Amino acid sequence: MERTLAIIKPDAVAARHVGAVVERIESAGFEIRAMRLVRLSQADAEGFYAVHRERPFFGSLTAFMSSGPAVVLALEAPDAIRRWRTLMGATDPAKAEPGTIRRDFGASIEHNATHGSDAAETAAFELAYFFAGVTLAGA
Ligand code: CMP
Protein backbone atom coordinates (compact mmCIF):
# COMPACT_ATOMS: atom_id res chain seq x y z
CA MET A 1 0.00 0.00 0.00
CA GLU A 2 1.11 3.55 -0.70
CA ARG A 3 -0.21 6.96 0.31
CA THR A 4 -0.24 10.23 -1.55
CA LEU A 5 -1.46 13.75 -0.88
CA ALA A 6 -4.19 15.13 -3.14
CA ILE A 7 -5.39 18.73 -3.16
CA ILE A 8 -8.60 19.96 -4.73
CA LYS A 9 -7.39 23.48 -5.47
CA PRO A 10 -9.29 26.75 -4.88
CA ASP A 11 -10.48 26.96 -8.52
CA ALA A 12 -12.18 23.56 -8.35
CA VAL A 13 -13.66 24.22 -4.88
CA ALA A 14 -15.07 27.58 -6.04
CA ALA A 15 -16.57 25.89 -9.12
CA ARG A 16 -18.28 23.30 -6.84
CA HIS A 17 -16.34 20.38 -8.29
CA VAL A 18 -15.41 18.84 -4.92
CA GLY A 19 -18.11 16.18 -5.18
CA ALA A 20 -17.20 15.28 -8.76
CA VAL A 21 -13.49 14.94 -7.92
CA VAL A 22 -14.17 12.86 -4.81
CA GLU A 23 -16.48 10.65 -6.89
CA ARG A 24 -13.63 9.98 -9.34
CA ILE A 25 -11.25 9.24 -6.48
CA GLU A 26 -13.63 6.69 -4.96
CA SER A 27 -14.57 5.14 -8.31
CA ALA A 28 -10.88 4.62 -9.09
CA GLY A 29 -10.54 2.50 -5.94
CA PHE A 30 -8.58 4.82 -3.65
CA GLU A 31 -9.26 4.72 0.09
CA ILE A 32 -9.69 8.22 1.54
CA ARG A 33 -7.69 8.07 4.77
CA ALA A 34 -8.07 11.75 5.72
CA MET A 35 -9.79 14.82 4.26
CA ARG A 36 -9.83 18.50 5.36
CA LEU A 37 -11.12 21.79 4.02
CA VAL A 38 -8.33 24.34 4.52
CA ARG A 39 -7.79 28.01 3.80
CA LEU A 40 -4.05 28.41 3.29
CA SER A 41 -2.28 31.63 4.17
CA GLN A 42 0.32 32.91 1.71
CA ALA A 43 2.99 31.62 4.11
CA ASP A 44 1.31 28.19 4.28
CA ALA A 45 1.32 27.96 0.48
CA GLU A 46 4.95 29.13 0.31
CA GLY A 47 5.96 26.41 2.78
CA PHE A 48 4.06 23.75 0.91
CA TYR A 49 5.56 24.68 -2.47
CA ALA A 50 9.03 25.57 -1.12
CA VAL A 51 10.71 23.35 -3.74
CA HIS A 52 9.39 25.76 -6.40
CA ARG A 53 10.55 28.98 -4.68
CA GLU A 54 13.03 29.86 -7.43
CA ARG A 55 10.47 29.43 -10.21
CA PRO A 56 9.06 32.51 -11.93
CA PHE A 57 5.50 31.39 -11.18
CA PHE A 58 6.08 30.93 -7.41
CA GLY A 59 4.41 34.20 -6.33
CA SER A 60 1.42 33.70 -8.58
CA LEU A 61 1.05 30.02 -7.61
CA THR A 62 1.14 30.72 -3.87
CA ALA A 63 -1.26 33.67 -4.21
CA PHE A 64 -3.69 31.45 -6.10
CA MET A 65 -3.38 28.59 -3.61
CA SER A 66 -4.20 30.98 -0.76
CA SER A 67 -7.05 32.70 -2.64
CA GLY A 68 -9.84 30.52 -1.24
CA PRO A 69 -10.64 27.21 0.41
CA ALA A 70 -9.00 24.01 -0.80
CA VAL A 71 -9.58 20.37 0.11
CA VAL A 72 -6.61 18.20 1.11
CA LEU A 73 -6.87 14.42 1.14
CA ALA A 74 -4.67 11.48 2.09
CA LEU A 75 -5.29 8.78 -0.52
CA GLU A 76 -4.22 5.17 -0.17
CA ALA A 77 -3.95 2.45 -2.82
CA PRO A 78 -1.31 0.21 -4.32
CA ASP A 79 0.87 2.53 -6.45
CA ALA A 80 -1.20 5.51 -5.23
CA ILE A 81 1.28 8.23 -6.24
CA ARG A 82 1.46 7.20 -9.88
CA ARG A 83 -2.23 6.27 -10.13
CA TRP A 84 -3.43 9.61 -8.73
CA ARG A 85 -1.17 11.47 -11.16
CA THR A 86 -2.63 9.43 -14.03
CA LEU A 87 -6.18 10.21 -12.90
CA MET A 88 -5.35 13.95 -12.71
CA GLY A 89 -3.68 14.11 -16.13
CA ALA A 90 -0.87 16.40 -17.26
CA THR A 91 -0.12 19.58 -15.28
CA ASP A 92 -1.31 21.71 -18.20
CA PRO A 93 -5.01 20.89 -18.75
CA ALA A 94 -4.59 21.60 -22.48
CA LYS A 95 -2.11 18.71 -22.65
CA ALA A 96 -4.03 16.35 -20.35
CA GLU A 97 -5.67 13.22 -21.75
CA PRO A 98 -9.45 13.35 -22.36
CA GLY A 99 -11.36 12.09 -19.32
CA THR A 100 -8.74 13.21 -16.80
CA ILE A 101 -9.60 15.55 -13.94
CA ARG A 102 -7.41 18.40 -15.12
CA ARG A 103 -8.68 18.14 -18.68
CA ASP A 104 -12.29 18.24 -17.47
CA PHE A 105 -12.01 20.77 -14.62
CA GLY A 106 -8.76 22.72 -15.13
CA ALA A 107 -8.59 26.05 -16.94
CA SER A 108 -4.85 26.72 -17.18
CA ILE A 109 -1.48 25.39 -16.01
CA GLU A 110 -1.93 27.38 -12.79
CA HIS A 111 -5.66 26.91 -12.31
CA ASN A 112 -5.40 23.17 -12.86
CA ALA A 113 -7.97 21.88 -10.35
CA THR A 114 -5.86 19.38 -8.42
CA HIS A 115 -2.39 18.60 -7.05
CA GLY A 116 -0.69 15.29 -6.35
CA SER A 117 2.61 14.31 -4.76
CA ASP A 118 5.24 13.41 -7.36
CA ALA A 119 7.39 10.90 -5.42
CA ALA A 120 7.52 8.95 -2.15
CA GLU A 121 9.67 11.58 -0.39
CA THR A 122 7.41 14.47 -1.41
CA ALA A 123 4.33 12.45 -0.41
CA ALA A 124 5.76 11.97 3.09
CA PHE A 125 6.50 15.71 3.40
CA GLU A 126 3.14 16.78 1.94
CA LEU A 127 1.05 14.35 4.02
CA ALA A 128 2.82 15.53 7.18
CA TYR A 129 2.26 19.17 6.15
CA PHE A 130 -1.50 18.77 6.56
CA PHE A 131 -1.98 15.66 8.69
CA ALA A 132 0.94 15.56 11.16
CA GLY A 133 -0.20 14.40 14.56
CA VAL A 134 -3.38 12.87 13.19
CA THR A 135 -3.84 9.11 13.16
CA LEU A 136 -5.09 8.42 9.65
CA ALA A 137 -8.13 6.20 9.24
CA GLY A 138 -7.14 2.60 8.58
CA ALA A 139 -3.69 3.09 10.08
P1 CMP B 1 1.04 21.24 -8.95
O1 CMP B 1 0.89 19.80 -9.26
O2 CMP B 1 0.26 21.78 -7.82
O3 CMP B 1 2.59 21.54 -8.67
C1 CMP B 1 3.16 22.81 -8.86
C2 CMP B 1 2.23 23.74 -9.57
O4 CMP B 1 2.85 24.84 -10.18
C3 CMP B 1 1.57 23.01 -10.71
O5 CMP B 1 0.66 22.06 -10.24
C4 CMP B 1 0.97 24.15 -11.49
O6 CMP B 1 -0.28 24.54 -10.98
C5 CMP B 1 1.99 25.23 -11.24
N1 CMP B 1 2.81 25.43 -12.42
C6 CMP B 1 3.66 24.59 -12.97
N2 CMP B 1 4.24 25.13 -14.06
C7 CMP B 1 3.72 26.37 -14.17
C8 CMP B 1 3.90 27.42 -15.08
N3 CMP B 1 4.76 27.29 -16.12
N4 CMP B 1 3.20 28.53 -14.91
C9 CMP B 1 2.35 28.64 -13.85
N5 CMP B 1 2.14 27.68 -12.94
C10 CMP B 1 2.81 26.55 -13.12
Side-chain angles (χ1 to χ4, degrees):
M1 276 299 171
E2 187 176 67
R3 284 184 179 153
T4 191
L5 182 86
I7 304 181
I8 306 175
K9 295 188 179 185
D11 58 328
V13 175
R16 299 179 182 270
H17 290 143
V18 173
V21 174
V22 170
E23 202 282 323
R24 290 187 190 207
I25 288 168
E26 293 191 308
S27 294
F30 291 93
E31 297 292 342
I32 298 172
R33 294 305 191 194
M35 182 161 137
R36 289 176 67 191
L37 183 77
V38 294
R39 173 69 194 260
L40 301 183
S41 67
Q42 179 87 27
D44 292 334
E46 289 171 359
F48 181 77
Y49 280 119
V51 292
H52 295 305
R53 62 186 172 278
E54 306 300 334
R55 305 279 193 102
F57 55 81
F58 183 68
S60 172
L61 172 64
T62 54
F64 162 59
M65 290 300 290
S66 56
S67 66
V71 175
V72 294
L73 306 96
L75 304 183
E76 186 176 280
D79 203 17
I81 294 170
R82 188 189 62 78
R83 284 174 58 199
W84 171 235
R85 293 176 70 80
T86 300
L87 197 61
M88 289 193 296
T91 305
D92 183 351
K95 295 179 182 153
E97 293 287 320
T100 60
I101 291 169
R102 283 166 165 166
R103 176 70 169 258
D104 290 347
F105 302 126
S108 68
I109 196 164
E110 183 170 280
H111 294 199
N112 64 350
T114 52
H115 166 82
S117 310
D118 64 4
E121 308 76 61
T122 41
F125 169 80
E126 293 181 357
L127 287 163
Y129 203 81
F130 292 109
F131 299 115
V134 173
T135 303
L136 301 189

